[in-house]
Amino acid sequence: MKKIVHTDAAPAAIGPYSQAVLKGDTLYISGQLPVDPATGELVDGIEAQTRQSLTNAKAILEAAGSSLDKVCRTGVFMKDLSQFAQMNAVYAEFFSTAFPARSCVQVAALPKNALVEIELIAEV
């Protein structure tokens, strides 16, 4: 059986999907856009957007009883891979040891014209 995870500390889904789904001991977090949940607006710049996306994901992890150190895999979608180094530096602030597996790809566009979107899979 799956359980839907939601927290007001992260932006609400902007479509027919859940912030996260818990199935057994595995948490699947939908791609997090860099939306400030207090304002509903995107933050500016790749560093701030990466930080906000991961902050949103962290709030969902905590709502499910998990944490960043239990993340097994991330997927990073970027509008412009020339900004990879800046994204990666902020990403390293959140994952400093036992890094999760990760993919990072450039995409043609992201919702709300974001520069980055990050999805995670974690243990609970």
Side-chain angles (χ1 to χ4, degrees):
M1 193 160 121
K2 68 181 182 180
K3 176 183 175 190
I4 303 304
V5 176
H6 174 82
T7 177
D8 291 334
I14 58 172
Y17 61 91
S18 301
Q19 286 177 331
V21 173
L22 180 62
K23 177 73 173 169
D25 292 333
T26 305
L27 181 66
Y28 302 89
I29 298 179
S30 295
Q32 292 302 297
L33 291 170
V35 173
D36 180 337
T39 66
E41 300 296 324
L42 286 179
V43 296
D44 292 326
I46 189 62
E47 291 93 349
Q49 287 200 8
T50 302
R51 189 170 287 108
Q52 187 65 58
S53 292
L54 288 168
T55 298
N56 293 342
K58 183 177 182 232
I60 297 167
L61 284 163
E62 291 171 354
S66 190
S67 62
L68 286 167
D69 64 332
K70 293 184 177 181
V71 174
C72 298
R73 184 191 183 286
T74 64
V76 180
F77 305 94
M78 297 184 68
K79 191 172 177 181
D80 183 357
L81 277 178
S82 73
Q83 297 178 318
F84 179 84
Q86 297 95 316
M87 178 282 298
N88 204 44
V90 174
Y91 182 97
E93 295 173 11
F94 287 81
F95 301 105
S96 57
T97 59
F99 297 114
R102 177 178 82 182
S103 60
C104 182
V105 296
Q106 181 170 309
V107 296
L110 290 167
K112 295 188 171 245
N113 205 28
L115 301 174
V116 66
E117 180 175 359
I118 303 173
E119 63 183 15
L120 296 88
I121 300 172
E123 297 176 320
V124 176

